[in-house]
Amino acid sequence: MMPKAVFWDMDGTLVDSEPLHEAALMAAMRNVGLVPPDDLHERVLGVAAWPVYEMMRDEFGLDLPFDDWIVRKYEHYLPLVESLKPRPGAIEIFNELRARGIQQAVVSNSDRMIVDANLSMVGLIYPGMKTISRNDVREGKPHAEPFLRAAYLADVDPTHAVAIDDSWPGAMAGLAAGMKTIFWPEKPMEGPPGAIVINSADQLRAELGL
């Protein structure tokens, strides 16, 4: 049975942008004289810009205001968007759900400018499309607010919706919102307790009743 609404994370779930974010972050760090740690990817996956900045400041000695820092990161990121690719199978499922009249939204911890740039690059943009960026909520993932905002905009009870995310913070946000939560990581791993773990687009289709 298909859900009444499906809410998608963007980075790593709909689009394969996590490598771009990591490359931009590493370049920005080196640009200000910081050395990226070996486990940078694991530490920042699914984490919003402000907590990442706090880590840079508190652990690595970043000596820049947040606004200056994020501009530097995005200066490195935006030129990379031209190489952005969809995650295999994800946008096809999104479009099939849309054709069936299922409510959907993109729920991201990224800033609005990144959400718009990424979705435009992969052609996932149309009138009336619902997108929630980090700029649209007070608390980002793993807080429930982003997914609850999506449910509000879709006029759907959260318990009748599905949240899909590739990161622990995102999956935790879906669970906190009371939604059926599908954890679709980039590589096989355990998910947060209560999340449904999948490892392929075919498994996602099955979980969505397609």
Side-chain angles (χ1 to χ4, degrees):
M1 183 176 179
M2 285 187 291
K4 291 186 177 180
V6 177
F7 303 136
W8 299 78
D9 171 56
M10 180 183 69
D11 294 301
T13 303
L14 277 171
V15 298
D16 189 20
S17 54
E18 295 295 0
L20 278 61
H21 280 287
E22 184 176 2
L25 181 57
M26 292 174 68
M29 289 182 72
R30 292 188 176 109
N31 187 252
V32 295
L34 304 181
V35 178
D38 292 338
D39 63 347
L40 181 66
H41 179 75
E42 290 76 13
R43 297 184 68 181
V44 302
L45 179 64
V47 180
W50 178 258
V52 172
Y53 166 75
E54 290 182 314
M55 182 181 73
M56 297 292 130
R57 181 193 63 198
D58 299 342
E59 296 187 34
F60 297 92
L62 178 64
D63 188 22
L64 284 174
F66 174 77
D67 289 346
D68 291 347
W69 163 252
I70 204 63
V71 165
R72 288 173 183 257
K73 191 216 167 178
Y74 291 163
E75 283 177 346
H76 288 287
Y77 181 86
L78 290 173
L80 300 175
V81 172
E82 292 186 1
S83 65
L84 183 64
K85 302 295 182 185
R87 187 170 188 182
I91 291 180
E92 289 84 352
I93 294 173
F94 186 105
N95 287 333
E96 183 173 347
L97 290 169
R98 183 184 174 207
R100 292 177 180 239
I102 303 299
Q103 287 278 1
Q104 295 183 97
V106 176
V107 182
S108 178
N109 254 0
S110 287
D111 283 342
R112 168 59 55 192
M113 64 185 297
I114 302 300
V115 171
D116 292 346
N118 284 356
L119 295 180
S120 294
M121 182 54 58
V122 297
L124 193 60
I125 187 167
Y126 53 85
M129 183 175 180
K130 298 176 178 65
T131 60
I132 294 89
S133 74
R134 183 63 184 85
N135 306 89
D136 302 319
V137 292
R138 293 170 298 176
E139 299 287 344
K141 306 171 191 176
H143 195 280
E145 185 182 356
F147 281 116
L148 291 177
R149 176 69 176 167
Y152 169 77
L153 292 176
D155 194 23
V156 171
D157 189 308
T159 60
H160 297 156
V162 172
I164 307 170
D165 212 295
D166 72 306
S167 73
W168 267 66
M172 291 169 67
L175 292 167
M179 298 178 181
K180 174 181 176 178
T181 299
I182 298 175
F183 180 57
W184 187 16
E186 297 173 356
K187 56 185 179 181
M189 68 174 71
E190 292 185 5
I196 298 168
V197 181
I198 64 168
N199 291 298
S200 72
D202 286 341
Q203 287 180 307
L204 178 57
R205 292 179 58 83
E207 289 293 340
L208 295 175
L210 295 173

